[in-house]
Amino acid sequence: MAFANYSIPEYWPFFRCTESVMVEYGHKPGISTIAMQRCTPLLEGIASMGQLNYCASSELGVRLLLAAKYETVMLNPPHTYVPWVTIDEVPVLDKVDQISELV
């Protein structure tokens, strides 16, 4: 299964939803299930929960996750904060809410 014709604006509400679930619940057991149940309806007509689960557990999904992990580990400067925002290669860290003033 490939989602070759993806569009960031189409997936963005799903990403924001999963992020809000993480903020609300933290890193607790079962958080992925909660996020999938709450946020997958935002992908109606794009992907189903079954398709997402298949992708995440497939060989391709595991390879993509490992590739993302590698890219994160190789960031320069090193990724140590979320959200990770840099200006002129300097991390903004906890000043992300002041980004307009920093630019």
Side-chain angles (χ1 to χ4, degrees), residues 11-12 18 26 28 37 49 65-66 72 78-79 93-94 99:
Y11 287 89
W12 192 250
T18 59
K28 295 181 180 177
Q37 289 171 343
M49 190 179 307
L65 181 62
L66 292 174
T72 301
H79 179 273
L93 301 176
D94 62 346
I99 199 145

Side-chain angles (χ1 to χ4, degrees), residues 42-58:
L42 297 171
L43 295 175
E44 186 175 348
I46 300 170
S48 68
M49 190 179 307
Q51 289 171 313
L52 294 176
N53 282 326
Y54 173 78
C55 180
S57 62
S58 71

Side-chain angles (χ1 to χ4, degrees), residues 3 11 14 21-22 28 34 37 44-45 50 63 65 70 72-74 82 85-87 91:
F3 298 103
Y11 287 89
F14 174 80
V21 169
M22 292 301 297
K28 295 181 180 177
I34 294 168
Q37 289 171 343
E44 186 175 348
R63 285 197 330 256
L65 181 62
Y70 175 80
T72 301
V73 169
M74 298 307 293
V82 175
V85 178
T86 62
I87 298 175

Side-chain angles (χ1 to χ4, degrees), residues 6-25:
Y6 68 89
S7 165
I8 290 174
E10 287 180 315
Y11 287 89
W12 192 250
F14 174 80
F15 294 133
R16 295 290 295 166
C17 179
T18 59
E19 182 179 66
S20 70
V21 169
M22 292 301 297
V23 168
E24 183 178 344
Y25 290 92

